[in-house]
Amino acid sequence: MELQGKIIAALDVKTGTSARGEWKVQEFVLETIDGQFSRKMVFSVFGEERLQRFNIQVGQDVNVSFDIDAREYNGRWFNSIRAFDVRPVMPNVGGPIPPVDQVPFQGATPPPAMNNFQAAPPASAPMEESSEDLPF
């Protein structure tokens, strides 16, 4: 599901340790305007990598992609709204900013490769193993 709105609050980061290691989660309040009425939703972003990548700021207009799940605890049910993607909304357009790798190139020729990086081979090409290959 997706919602577009303005971040009106960023709650404190919560941390902990599980069997898989340390974890971080932060909750944000999103306000949407639907006609005359505003609605608010609290959503969480789980994981330090996502928190850094999304870089959510109070006052920012964003498009939030999220999953809703419910769980039972001591006979009561609780909803969980977890964001898996948060993108700033482009001014004057009203849509999310696409990732850089999905923006089409508008020039006559593609730009030169930066830092001598080579494009990945097509999926059908066999991979050559080299001791110089980086794991990322």
Side-chain angles (χ1 to χ4, degrees):
M1 298 183 79
E2 287 188 7
L3 270 180
Q4 184 174 323
K6 181 182 290 271
I7 301 295
I8 61 169
L11 307 178
D12 292 335
V13 175
K14 297 175 187 172
T15 61
T17 304
S18 69
R20 294 187 208 170
E22 292 187 25
W23 53 266
K24 284 187 177 183
V25 66
Q26 186 173 11
E27 293 180 322
F28 299 90
V29 181
L30 179 78
E31 182 177 41
T32 65
I33 305 295
D34 186 21
Q36 300 177 19
F37 305 102
S38 68
R39 308 268 183 208
K40 295 174 183 74
M41 174 184 79
V42 175
F43 67 92
S44 61
V45 176
F46 191 85
E48 185 173 4
E49 328 63 62
R50 284 188 176 137
L51 286 168
Q52 289 176 358
R53 186 174 73 223
F54 298 159
N55 191 25
I56 302 168
Q57 304 294 320
V58 174
Q60 187 178 31
D61 289 322
V62 295
N63 191 50
V64 180
S65 300
F66 58 92
D67 288 323
I68 300 175
D69 195 16
R71 64 187 181 288
E72 185 266 337
Y73 179 74
N74 288 340
R76 295 191 60 195
W77 284 87
F78 299 89
N79 288 320
S80 172
I81 301 173
R82 187 174 287 182
F84 59 85
D85 194 20
V86 179
R87 295 178 194 254
V89 174
M90 294 174 68
N92 302 326
V93 178
I97 297 174
V100 174
D101 60 348
Q102 292 181 7
V103 176
F105 180 71
Q106 301 294 324
T109 59
M114 296 176 57
N115 298 330
N116 295 327
F117 288 117
Q118 295 179 350
S124 60
M127 295 291 292
E128 294 180 15
E129 295 205 19
S130 169
S131 62
E132 294 180 3
D133 287 345
L134 297 174
F136 53 96

